[in-house]
Amino acid sequence: MAGHPIAHSLSPRMHNAALRELSGGRPAFRDWRYHAFDIPPSGLAEALGLFHAKGFRGLNITVPHKVAALAAIGDATEGARLAGAVNTLEWLPGGWRGHNTDAHGFSRAVGEEFALSLAGVPVLLLG
């Protein structure tokens, strides 16, 4: 995960617990770890290049980097381009591919928890 600041984030504990569970049934996950990197905005582009060169298979992007990361990578899904931001990067040999799962995740949660559809409803998602 790359963000600034990130010391408060529970994501490393949550994702590392999930990876431990996955590694019980799928040994390929045994050596996987989820790390948090506090990267100031001025260092984002360089950091993304280094993470890619080091072979990081994926990267979560959080505030304040979601918009800047989209501009710094070469490829993004249509949903990420429409959102104008990325929150997930996928490693490909030629560079990062950006995704935005925020809208899908929010819409699915609202549908499951409240049995409501957001289709055609304007939504402002912050954070």
Side-chain angles (χ1 to χ4, degrees), residues 70-82:
L70 176 62
I73 62 172
D75 186 17
T77 63
E78 181 180 354
R81 286 190 302 276
L82 287 171

Side-chain angles (χ1 to χ4, degrees), residues 15 34 59-62 66 70 76-90 97-110 118 125 127:
H15 289 289
Y34 187 96
L59 192 62
N60 291 118
I61 303 295
T62 192
K66 293 180 178 191
L70 176 62
T77 63
E78 181 180 354
R81 286 190 302 276
L82 287 171
V86 295
N87 69 344
T88 305
L89 299 183
E90 170 190 9
R97 179 170 175 89
H99 302 266
N100 189 308
T101 62
D102 288 332
H104 173 75
F106 181 71
S107 178
R108 184 172 173 180
V110 167
L118 296 178
L125 186 63

Side-chain angles (χ1 to χ4, degrees), residues 42-67:
S42 62
L44 180 64
E46 179 182 4
L48 293 178
L50 290 171
F51 288 136
H52 190 272
K54 295 287 184 183
F56 279 60
R57 291 305 185 215
L59 192 62
N60 291 118
I61 303 295
T62 192
V63 294
H65 299 321
K66 293 180 178 191
V67 173

